Amino acid sequence: MATVVPLAEAVAELVHDGDSVAMEGFTHLIPYAAGHEIIRQGRRDLTLIRMTPDLLYDQMIGMGCARKLVFSWGGNPGVGSLHRFRDAVQNRWPAPLEIEEHSHAGIANAYVAGASGLPFAVLRGYRGTDLPAHTANIKPITCPFTGEELTAVPAINPEVAVVHAQRADRRGNVQLWGITGVQKEAVLAARRSLVTVEELVEELEPRPGAIVLPGWAITHVSEAPGGSHPSYSAGYSTRDNDFYLAWDEISRDRETFVAWMKEHVL
């Protein structure tokens, strides 16, 4: 059952050097507060997994947390490249970064397979792309019933999944709504999980379209108001578009980036 603990305590217990860590959220409910705590605690050699790595993973890569990135799209949404990500791949700064690139459908299906206790996922994706030539974890597979050639990807079972949500009750049941991605699947696929929330409440009130993650599926819950900034939490905050624009300049230069991180995160 989930326990409610302070964020620093949760990260210290759950995230270890060398872990595979999935931090999900699709334009919305991105767990920045938790990612910043991982940076502050100096975690290293992480395999970072995310369907759409954006500014948070750019920060974590630039601060030397990552050894490998498993992803299906990476960029500063609506702005351009992730300069710290690019620098790590092209120039090995601050450390070499291995990449494993998939499609959105491939990552989503891999989480579902992990959550279902299956060794791999099967889909029709990847055909007509050059991703199989560059990613070892994409393999053709023949349907035993129809003979159709499909694609298989291994299940994703992170050591730790981290997501942000709007509310949790004091028993550790979590409620999230709005634009959702693969948060539920990532949590169910992971060995350990952390959910940061905007607020703790006595009782979760039903909401149309809301997802409830039961406390038995979660390791720790931590209260972190504003924990998705500069992304947003529907019903609590709005997206800080100015910050996404500003990040393009902040992150271009190594010294400017490090100075900003020291001032605002460390």
Side-chain angles (χ1 to χ4, degrees), residues 10 12 25 31 47 85-86 113 135 141 166 168 174 193 199 202 230 244:
T47 294
F85 174 22
R86 180 183 290 272
T135 302
I141 187 170
Q166 283 94 340
V174 168
S193 57
E199 66 170 335
E202 294 303 321
Y244 284 84

Side-chain angles (χ1 to χ4, degrees), residues 120-144:
F120 62 90
V122 178
L123 63 156
R124 288 193 172 93
Y126 298 103
R127 291 185 298 182
T129 77
D130 62 355
L131 282 172
H134 298 281
T135 302
N137 280 338
I138 301 171
K139 300 292 185 183
I141 187 170
T142 301
C143 174

Side-chain angles (χ1 to χ4, degrees), residues 144-173:
F145 304 105
T146 66
E148 180 182 4
E149 185 173 291
L150 302 167
T151 305
V153 291
I156 293 177
N157 290 109
E159 261 108 20
V160 190
V162 182
V163 302
H164 188 70
Q166 283 94 340
R167 294 174 184 162
D169 64 25
R170 298 190 184 278
R171 297 180 300 279
N173 300 302

